[in-house]
Amino acid sequence: MKKISKHTFRSNTLPAMTTVGPVSLWLLFFVAIPLLYVLVMSFCSLDESYNVVFKFTAENYARLMDPNYIQIYTTSILVAFFTTVLCIIIGYPFSFLIARTKWKHKALLYMMVIIPFWTNSLIRIYGWRTFLGTGGWLNHMLLMLHITSEPVEFLFNKGTTVLGMVYCLFPFMVLPLYTAIEKLDSTLLEASSDLGAKGSVTFRKIILPLTMSGVFSGSIMVFIPCLGYFFVSDILGGGNSDVIGNLIERQFQSGNNWPLGAALSIILILITLLLVKIYQKLGGDMDSLGV
Amino acid sequence: MNRKIKAIVKKTAGILFCSFVYLFLFLPIIVIVTGSFNATTTKPYITWKGFTFDWYIKLFDNTALLSSFGATITIALISTLLSTAIGTVAAVGMYKYKFRGKGLIDGLLYIPVVIPEIVLGISLLTLFSNTHIPRDMLTLILSHTTFAIPYVIFNVRARLSGYDNSIEEASMDLGANRLLTLKNITLPVLAPGIAGGALLAFTLSIDDVIVSYFTNGQVKTFPLKVMESIKSGVAPDVNALSTLILAGTVILVVFTQSDILKKIKRRK
């Protein structure tokens, strides 16, 4: 029973407007309107001198079916898929170990996942290039140990792009998993083994279902950014494994075809909406996406 | 006995596995730090030519690099301040009051979090270009504030979920007005959430590549400067600055360690 105090009789309009007003205006001007601009622009045409003119056309969408583009979508989705799977395969046992360790410096283990994040991601990706390049560290080591007789080109393929993506996005998988695994009630696991269940059965019937929410939100946080991280495929993929982000970036920079870039962005938005809908259908909580 | 051996093997395997993951996470950082001490002067600055501190000294002659670092910090501070102020009052307002369009605001909040950053970047570029706002420091601040606001709100909201409204009512029954109550009751309770949100806003801003790439003009942030130099090989003075930034952040982490520890404990 909540007692109604005299203060609630006052009108709530003014305080509600002063608190929520600024954020509403901000979201309207810098999120809603810009996205509407993109939607409108995706139906615009270019004149002879490559200026955007507001003349309706569906041509930009027709161009999305270009076989070259379709190949980039396929690559992009494959890269995102393998990145997500690798993040789960490595991230799950890793999160499990650091979340349930009895070591007294447990918090340090958690922080060490975040610290690399605080160095600029571009320069860390470039660090991988220095490590893997033909004149790089790994080749030096291999030559010195006489494993190879001449430098091997490790870079510039889909594999290195996936490596870079896993590297950039790994913490986004670990953090929700860590939270989910840490919440696990140890008494449930003890009860299961007391009742005679083997380790694998306990894992399948108890641990996995209870931590699945972490896997789902981690997957969303990894898969979607992967489609847009153009700088990773630029630096490590060398143009051989472009993602949708590269395609969009080119239209807004060198290609200078903003309407086409806008149409491509609409595709990305639709993919995002679809994945988020699936996530919600699976019982995912939107708030756990904020990290 | 057999069981004991099995347990030891299991433990060692676990430690080995985690060490490999940490090695993976820290490998590029080892490369960066080593690179900052490399005496080489020829592009692409990879071959090891001996140990030197020169790059740390030369760094202070590279005005373009230093001013990009200054711009990064300025933009991060202002956008953190803006997003923390707007986000905190919004989180409180959305928690306390019912109003029309609340669902809409909630939905809009998730957009910057879930859509790929590139879409946010090009949509802001489209906005600035259509409204003829020149791309400059201002557009970078506006963009960074936009992607930071939701994170501040989520952090403060997490703090509010355990918030007892009656302490505010008590304060007001005792004669304090709304502002006084906000200052003496609400803000202190929310402080850890606000601090967490602000820290996240700051980190997101200094590390941002993609949104800045589309919304910058004359003013270049440090990540954009790195991007420019990547084609010709990142010079060791960039490595030196990155190493200094890393050292700074590690000190910051150690400094706020107790806070993070508390946060982890609270999650249980």
Side-chain angles (χ1 to χ4, degrees), chain A residues 130-194:
Chain A
T130 311
F131 184 79
L132 295 170
T134 40
W137 292 27
L138 187 60
N139 268 309
H140 266 289
M141 280 189 259
L142 292 176
L143 288 173
M144 244 160 51
L145 297 170
H146 297 289
I147 296 173
T148 54
S149 52
E150 51 190 88
V152 184
E153 182 61 280
F154 294 107
L155 288 171
F156 311 133
N157 53 56
K158 289 188 189 67
T160 39
T161 303
V162 170
L163 176 106
M165 295 284 188
V166 171
Y167 184 79
C168 277
L169 296 162
F170 186 68
F172 288 107
M173 180 61 80
V174 170
L175 300 186
L177 279 175
Y178 186 95
T179 313
I181 291 167
E182 223 195 11
K183 271 194 212 134
L184 268 181
D185 189 350
S186 320
T187 54
L188 279 178
L189 311 186
E190 281 160 24
S192 167
S193 83
D194 284 348

Side-chain angles (χ1 to χ4, degrees), chain A residues 53-65:
Chain A
V53 283
F54 289 95
K55 208 175 97 197
F56 179 85
T57 176
E59 200 200 322
N60 300 312
Y61 286 93
R63 279 189 66 185
L64 296 181
M65 292 301 136

Side-chain angles (χ1 to χ4, degrees), chain B residues 160-224:
Chain B
L160 276 165
S161 63
Y163 185 67
D164 186 358
N165 241 330
S166 61
I167 58 170
E168 267 186 25
E169 280 166 21
S171 157
M172 288 169 79
D173 281 341
L174 291 169
N177 60 21
R178 275 186 204 273
L179 264 179
L180 213 59
T181 307
L182 182 75
K183 187 176 134 258
N184 290 334
I185 308 289
T186 320
L187 284 180
V189 174
L190 297 181
I194 298 170
L199 196 65
L200 198 55
F202 191 81
T203 352
L204 287 171
S205 172
I206 54 168
D207 191 37
D208 178 67
V209 177
I210 298 181
V211 175
S212 308
Y213 179 73
F214 292 101
T215 53
N216 80 90
Q218 293 299 316
V219 178
K220 298 269 183 270
T221 61
F222 177 59
L224 293 171

Side-chain angles (χ1 to χ4, degrees), chain A residues 29-81:
Chain A
F29 283 119
F30 297 110
V31 178
I33 290 177
L35 287 175
L36 277 178
Y37 266 128
V38 173
L39 183 66
V40 171
M41 185 170 284
S42 72
F43 290 104
C44 286
S45 351
L46 289 175
D47 64 10
E48 299 81 40
S49 47
Y50 291 97
N51 289 316
V52 179
V53 283
F54 289 95
K55 208 175 97 197
F56 179 85
T57 176
E59 200 200 322
N60 300 312
Y61 286 93
R63 279 189 66 185
L64 296 181
M65 292 301 136
D66 185 304
N68 290 325
Y69 287 2
I70 289 177
Q71 203 193 330
I72 292 179
Y73 312 147
T74 322
T75 309
S76 198
I77 300 226
L78 274 178
V79 165
F81 175 77

Side-chain angles (χ1 to χ4, degrees), chain A residues 26 107 109 121 167 249 287, chain B residues 22 25 110 146 207 213 242 261:
Chain A
W26 198 283
L109 293 176
S121 47
Y167 184 79
E249 184 253 342
D287 275 335
Chain B
Y22 283 118
L25 291 176
Y110 290 113
T146 305
D207 191 37
Y213 179 73
S242 306
L261 272 170

